[in-house]
Amino acid sequence: MPCLRKMERMIVSMQDPDMGVKMRNQRLLITVIPHAMTGNDIVEWLIQKYGISEEVPAPAPPESLHLGNLIVKHGYIYPLKDPRSLVLRADESPYRFQTPYFWTSTKWPATELDYAIYLAKKNIRKQGDLIEHEKDNYNLLHKRINHTWDFVVMQAREQLRAAKQRRKGDRIVIDCQEQAYWLVNRPPTKNMDYYKREIEYCRKAMARTRVKSSICLEGYIKFNEQYVPHDPIMSGCLPSNPWITDDTTYWAMNAPTVPTPTKLRVERWGFNFSELLADPLGRAQLLDFLKKEFSAENLSFWEACEELRYGEQSRIPEIVDSIYQQFLAPGATRWVNIDSKTMERTLEGIKTPHRYVMDDAQMHIYMLMKKDSYPRFLKSELYRNLLAEAVIPPETKKRVFPFMRKQRHSSPSPALLLPAGDTEERSRGPAAAPVPEEES
Amino acid sequence: MCDQTFLAVVFGPCDKCSKEKPLRAVYIKSEQLSYCSLCVEMMATEGLHENETLASLKNEAESLKGKLEEERAKLHDVELHQVAERVEALGQFVMKTRRTLKGHGNKVLCMDWCKDKRRIVSSSQDGKVIVWDSFTTNKEHAVTMPCTWVMACAYAPSGCAIACGGLDNKCSVYPLTFDKNENMAAKKKSVAMHTNYLSACSFTNSDMQILTASGDGTCALWDVESGQLLQSFHGHGADVLCLDLAPSETGNTFVSGGCDKKAMVWDMRSGQCIQSFETHDSDINSVRYYPSGDAFASGSDDATCRLYDLRADREVAIYSKESIIFGASSVDFSLSGRLLFAGYNDYTINVWDVLKGSRVSILFGHENRVSTLRVSPDGTAFCSGSWDHTLRVSAGSTCLGCFFSVMV
């Protein structure tokens, strides 16, 4: 990755003995470890080297600090005090350069095995006193790569033994480097933000209204009663299940557009409003009915809003404008009757068009259709005629010679329907695009 | 720290602020340092403060969760199987494999049905994505992805495109073309970009939006045409393995399940988590909404499937047996929601009576673990994909007595 290479070049020039960052010594009681620098020094060096101007409006961090932070987050410089917090502080906090062996770009993938060895070493050294997320990771790895655990422990012990051979100063430095490397590559996921989110979620959830179990569960029983006759696996299907008899008549009779729908299908439109809308045939019948009632624009408006919600991001302003012109503008040809408050809010929102700007209006019209037009549709002559004329397909007679397999005919793919360039037509849901009848 | 008596007679540069002051011996992580009194004060509030806050936040979160569970339990006045006692029991259940789709050279990882009720798209470990007319078992399209382990695939609502992705951390959309001169890979659109593997993807109500779930712990909603990120969903503490869109009237929510054992319900518009359920003991591999949209089922590595009701805000049923010890990889409901089909890692498919909580049937046939299972859009059959390189479409019926049974 080019950004890593650039960072590395920066790091190398920072370590230049003459022109690089000023180095100090880190004092730990009696041990003095060279090659440490303060956050301030780093920031000043960056400002000087890259001519960064510090004029940035508060509270944004100055560019030098931002750049320094990125270097620390990628693990090229690590903090000595408070190593778990990977930020660059522009004060006297000590930092050190990470050895190239541990650089992010080195093709040395941070594998589970290496991490397990590191955790095992830490576990042995600290006699079980690991930080929370390290403990979790240790247990997880112990479960996941249990088959090589003997190897892991053996490696850990060897590395600790080899480390004892080194001078104390070197040992401390190497430990710091390794710790920094793993903090970059295996950061704790459950940090303060995670818990804050959890707490906020819990508070909101406490305030939520819940429904008694008996009422909810009753809902399943009702749903079951209504739908089981329509479930082919539960109740079979007429004339026959295509997968069992190789006869596609069932699909032909239930295609999106047929002259005479089946009885089950027409019955299903009476279950709830969304069933009626979901079936293209049902929706067409609803449109006919609404035309008679002079409220067909409601359905068209709802469809246009669906197009907006699920449409292309780039076409949003265009679609919003078209909806406004057709349905909302004063004197529009297909003006929809929305209450004044919602209309006001919508017209205000149109000034900055976005995908959900019509949500309130769409919901209002949907509820209008559901509570008003839909019940009337179900009671109407139109619907009752549909029910009366609907067919119940006869059961397929069992074949005399069951072992002779009927030929399975292929059907045209939906992808073939329209010319290749017509992606707009194609991408609208199946409700809009016609589907050819199955061959029988 | 505060009651440590000030015994220092040492006067020198402070280890922290380097000022010449009277020093105190201070122990940080078993190392002894010398700090001036001011730095000691600051350290006491600063350094320790962060650790303390993290632990106290964690405790607060735990206790609030406990209180939430109590609240949820208050309205639970009856169990599902009790309510379902008056529902007619299911009769003999006979399902047979009607089609076997052979053609993948390696483990089948995912599949999806087309809205035309017969075509399916399937993806496998060797990077191949195949579109079949499963009724005739003919292969219609094939694409080779540049990566292996294609863990997610989806059919567009119009039937004119497919989406797939996996270890490449991306979700790509391929328009389906029958033009012999055109290479399908040429028109490929790279839509989603995650920082870890793609585990699940699904189109929304149109071809123009895709919802993805990834191993990086997030879900995201994308605009297909431009590849723009429309909304991202953060909240899972580990890899997200599955998602399902709600069949509700308003079409605004979806549920996701992850390795953090949580199932979370999200508002697509705001990106907020609306509800969250954490009762599984292991990774949740699959989530699927009940047909009414009021509940969803989940299948997990802990060998159980569970039903969660959204209005009651709790788990209402567990589908498990002592004899089932392998995890459930994939679940789906029959059209009426009475049956729950679940594919398991022990090569079988168990069929559960959703209302009564009992197992209706166990289906054999696959020779390796079942990785994916979907019921067809009209509920006439279901398709299961497995690590044995095949997909099987099975159909049949239960005998409820009133209708006929068609078996030839």
Side-chain angles (χ1 to χ4, degrees):
Chain A
M1 280 181 17
C3 60
L4 293 180
R5 279 200 295 273
K6 284 187 195 157
M7 259 194 282
E8 278 157 24
R9 278 203 294 270
M10 201 182 293
I11 290 291
V12 167
S13 60
M14 279 169 102
Q15 293 182 61
D16 184 278
D18 301 316
M19 301 298 293
V21 182
K22 190 166 76 164
M23 302 301 261
R24 296 163 201 252
N25 294 332
Q26 180 200 11
R27 258 198 21 189
L28 287 173
L29 203 58
I30 43 170
T31 329
V32 173
I33 306 165
H35 314 307
M37 57 223 162
T38 65
N40 237 341
D41 289 342
I42 299 174
V43 170
E44 274 179 28
W45 186 88
L46 284 172
I47 294 177
Q48 208 196 30
K49 167 94 176 170
Y50 293 104
I52 301 172
S53 91
E54 288 310 312
E55 287 166 24
V56 164
E63 192 182 342
S64 52
L65 202 62
H66 174 76
L67 184 57
N69 260 320
L70 284 173
I71 298 179
V72 173
K73 281 216 158 54
H74 278 82
Y76 287 102
I77 291 178
Y78 59 93
L80 298 171
K81 176 177 91 88
D82 199 10
R84 256 177 284 151
S85 160
L86 292 173
V87 285
L88 181 71
R89 276 186 259 264
D91 54 16
E92 301 297 306
S93 331
Y95 290 83
R96 193 178 289 127
F97 290 112
Q98 180 63 287
T99 172
Y101 181 64
F102 282 127
W103 279 356
T104 310
S105 66
T106 312
K107 286 194 174 64
W108 188 73
T111 64
E112 301 218 307
L113 198 61
D114 298 316
Y115 190 44
I117 295 173
Y118 166 70
L119 286 178
K121 267 200 299 187
K122 207 163 177 188
N123 200 21
I124 295 171
R125 228 167 6 115
K126 299 225 161 152
Q127 290 160 344
D129 185 25
L130 294 172
I131 331 171
E132 189 69 45
H133 86 273
E134 283 182 345
K135 255 194 207 129
D136 289 337
N137 282 338
Y138 183 88
N139 291 332
L140 206 70
L141 282 169
H142 185 76
K143 201 171 61 160
R144 214 183 285 176
I145 54 171
N146 197 289
H147 51 279
T148 57
W149 203 253
D150 290 337
F151 175 71
V152 167
V153 173
M154 186 191 74
Q155 276 288 303
R157 288 213 179 98
E158 277 303 310
Q159 287 186 16
L160 282 175
R161 196 177 313 158
K164 284 210 177 87
Q165 309 281 336
R166 298 199 188 100
R167 273 182 23 234
K168 183 161 183 199
D170 290 343
R171 199 172 356 134
I172 293 179
V173 168
I174 290 175
D175 281 345
C176 284
Q177 287 169 347
E178 202 182 8
Q179 183 182 256
Y181 175 77
W182 286 112
L183 281 170
V184 168
N185 282 285
R186 294 279 192 276
T189 43
K190 294 199 178 160
N191 54 12
M192 311 241 302
D193 288 329
Y194 173 82
Y195 286 118
K196 281 194 187 130
R197 262 202 309 257
E198 290 263 300
I199 290 170
E200 179 158 344
Y201 164 76
C202 281
R203 290 214 179 103
K204 273 203 204 130
M206 296 278 275
R208 168 208 303 288
T209 41
R210 284 181 194 82
V211 181
K212 253 200 309 198
S213 285
S214 46
I215 299 178
C216 303
L217 301 178
E218 202 57 40
Y220 300 154
I221 311 293
K222 282 216 187 75
F223 188 86
N224 179 65
E225 262 173 49
Q226 236 182 6
Y227 278 86
V228 157
H230 297 255
D231 185 340
I233 296 178
M234 293 290 293
S235 317
C237 46
L238 297 167
S240 65
N241 188 321
W243 298 100
I244 300 175
T245 58
D246 293 342
D247 175 16
T248 56
T249 316
Y250 177 74
W251 285 333
M253 297 186 82
N254 285 294
T257 45
V258 280
T260 335
T262 62
K263 197 152 202 128
L264 280 177
R265 187 172 176 181
V266 180
E267 268 172 19
R268 207 163 151 179
W269 297 343
F271 287 174
N272 55 62
F273 189 47
S274 49
E275 285 285 352
L276 179 62
L277 276 184
D279 188 341
L281 201 60
R283 201 191 283 198
Q285 296 297 334
L286 177 67
L287 189 64
D288 281 344
F289 174 75
L290 290 177
K291 278 187 184 146
K292 292 203 181 96
E293 296 218 323
F294 303 107
S295 52
E297 67 275 358
N298 287 344
L299 185 57
S300 309
F301 174 70
W302 182 85
E303 285 182 333
C305 290
E306 285 287 280
E307 206 190 309
L308 170 66
R309 272 224 276 160
Y310 297 109
E312 282 168 41
Q313 186 72 6
S314 54
R315 285 189 59 217
I316 286 180
E318 177 194 328
I319 300 178
V320 170
D321 190 52
S322 137
I323 294 179
Y324 173 74
Q325 297 298 338
Q326 278 187 64
F327 300 101
L328 300 172
T333 47
R334 304 156 95 187
W335 193 79
V336 281
N337 195 357
I338 313 176
D339 70 281
S340 52
K341 266 214 185 86
T342 314
M343 180 66 94
E344 225 179 277
R345 256 204 312 267
T346 310
L347 291 178
E348 188 61 39
I350 289 180
K351 295 183 184 155
T352 42
H354 61 91
R355 189 176 293 274
Y356 304 109
V357 76
M358 294 289 173
D359 270 10
D360 285 344
Q362 186 183 7
M363 181 56 73
H364 181 96
I365 293 292
Y366 182 85
M367 282 306 170
L368 193 68
M369 288 195 289
K370 176 175 170 178
K371 300 248 160 76
D372 196 33
S373 318
Y374 178 60
R376 279 207 300 274
F377 170 78
L378 292 181
K379 293 201 197 98
S380 71
E381 225 181 285
L382 174 71
Y383 182 66
R384 275 183 287 171
N385 284 344
L386 282 168
L387 264 178
E389 285 162 22
V391 295
I392 302 180
E395 182 186 339
T396 305
K397 295 222 171 36
K398 288 204 179 132
R399 291 205 296 274
V400 179
F401 299 104
F403 47 81
M404 254 169 58
R405 194 160 58 103
K406 192 170 173 172
Q407 194 185 18
R408 295 169 184 167
H409 290 279
S410 62
S411 76
S413 162
L416 276 175
L417 288 176
L418 299 148
D422 216 342
T423 37
E424 249 176 64
E425 278 282 342
R426 199 189 300 190
S427 335
R428 235 177 278 141
V435 174
E437 310 236 65
E438 306 281 336
E439 298 173 19
S440 53
Chain B
M1 199 61 66
C2 326
D3 47 2
Q4 191 178 6
T5 48
F6 189 70
L7 289 172
V9 263
V10 182
F11 198 93
C14 166
D15 275 343
K16 188 169 172 183
C17 62
S18 316
K19 297 204 184 99
E20 295 272 339
K21 281 192 170 175
L23 298 176
R24 277 159 75 164
V26 142
Y27 293 85
I28 298 179
K29 296 198 171 105
S30 61
E31 276 167 5
Q32 193 186 8
L33 299 168
S34 304
Y35 277 12
C36 70
S37 52
L38 183 65
C39 292
V40 167
E41 295 267 74
M42 277 178 33
M43 187 198 71
T45 49
E46 199 185 319
L48 283 177
H49 190 64
E50 217 227 51
N51 283 340
E52 213 172 304
T53 316
L54 188 69
S56 66
L57 273 183
K58 185 170 174 205
N59 286 336
E60 200 184 334
E62 299 287 309
S63 84
L64 270 179
K65 265 196 224 171
K67 285 206 194 107
L68 182 60
E69 282 313 308
E70 276 171 37
E71 277 297 308
R72 279 175 164 168
K74 278 184 193 160
L75 288 174
H76 189 58
D77 49 352
V78 69
E79 295 289 331
L80 179 55
H81 62 85
Q82 291 170 305
V83 178
E85 261 158 31
R86 63 179 212 264
V87 178
E88 211 177 301
L90 294 173
Q92 263 279 317
F93 195 84
V94 189
M95 293 285 275
K96 276 198 198 160
T97 300
R98 307 291 169 174
R99 304 283 190 278
T100 307
L101 303 176
K102 295 193 187 158
H104 276 296
N106 214 317
K107 309 179 170 96
V108 176
L109 300 175
C110 186
M111 58 87 35
D112 191 18
W113 287 90
C114 175
K115 286 224 159 71
D116 76 347
K117 306 152 196 174
R118 50 192 284 174
R119 281 175 174 78
I120 63 171
V121 61
S122 60
S123 65
S124 80
Q125 186 198 337
D126 60 2
K128 287 237 170 28
V129 178
I130 302 180
V131 175
W132 318 70
D133 175 355
S134 55
F135 189 70
T136 57
T137 71
N138 290 340
K139 299 188 202 37
E140 291 192 345
H141 307 265
V143 176
T144 308
M145 295 277 285
C147 67
T148 57
W149 287 90
V150 188
M151 292 176 261
C153 62
Y155 224 118
S158 68
C160 300
I162 55 165
C164 47
L167 283 187
D168 57 352
N169 300 358
K170 293 195 267 195
C171 184
S172 315
V173 174
Y174 292 85
L176 295 176
T177 170
F178 281 95
D179 192 343
K180 296 260 179 346
N181 301 328
E182 243 180 64
N183 180 9
M184 258 180 75
K187 285 240 170 112
K188 158 180 154 174
K189 252 188 286 222
S190 253
V191 175
M193 292 279 291
H194 280 279
T195 52
N196 210 328
Y197 65 89
L198 194 83
S199 53
C201 66
S202 170
F203 284 89
T204 62
N205 281 11
S206 79
D207 282 16
M208 284 168 278
Q209 287 182 316
I210 278 202
L211 193 58
T212 58
S214 163
D216 65 10
T218 68
C219 301
L221 183 66
W222 310 83
D223 176 58
V224 173
E225 204 56 37
S226 60
Q228 190 186 345
L229 173 68
L230 300 174
Q231 185 63 262
S232 71
F233 308 90
H234 296 260
H236 275 286
D239 305 14
V240 186
L241 294 180
C242 51
L243 59 81
D244 190 32
L245 282 148
S248 74
E249 301 180 286
T250 46
N252 266 336
T253 59
F254 73 95
V255 60
S256 66
C259 288
D260 57 355
K261 312 172 199 167
K262 278 206 220 153
M264 301 176 89
V265 181
W266 306 88
D267 175 9
M268 291 216 300
R269 186 176 158 168
S270 64
Q272 295 298 314
C273 168
I274 310 175
Q275 277 172 291
S276 147
F277 303 90
E278 197 174 348
T279 60
H280 270 291
D281 298 320
S282 187
D283 304 356
I284 297 181
N285 295 316
S286 172
V287 283
R288 195 68 62 200
Y289 270 95
Y290 185 75
S292 73
D294 289 329
F296 68 90
S298 60
S300 156
D301 273 348
D302 66 5
T304 68
C305 299
R306 293 171 201 239
L307 187 69
Y308 296 93
D309 187 296
L310 296 171
R311 292 179 302 167
D313 193 28
R314 58 177 295 116
E315 171 193 296
V316 290
I318 306 183
Y319 307 104
S320 67
K321 259 176 118 72
E322 267 182 45
S323 54
I324 302 177
I325 49 181
F326 283 81
S329 63
S330 184
V331 298
D332 203 356
F333 285 99
S334 71
L335 191 140
S336 62
R338 180 66 191 272
L339 298 170
L340 180 69
F341 295 95
Y344 287 77
N345 292 341
D346 63 357
Y347 318 173
T348 65
I349 296 170
N350 286 295
V351 187
W352 301 91
D353 180 333
V354 170
L355 299 179
K356 292 195 184 280
S358 55
R359 183 176 66 186
V360 174
S361 176
I362 176 167
L363 306 171
F364 298 93
H366 279 294
E367 289 155 21
N368 206 323
R369 61 161 88 173
V370 178
S371 53
T372 175
L373 190 154
R374 296 295 292 265
V375 172
S376 77
D378 62 352
T380 48
F382 71 84
C383 180
S384 53
S386 158
W387 281 17
D388 67 1
H389 310 353
T390 67
L391 292 121
R392 285 164 189 256
V393 180
S394 309
S397 67
T398 69
C399 303
L400 270 189
C402 45
F403 279 80
F404 63 98
S405 100
V406 186
M407 296 289 293
V408 183

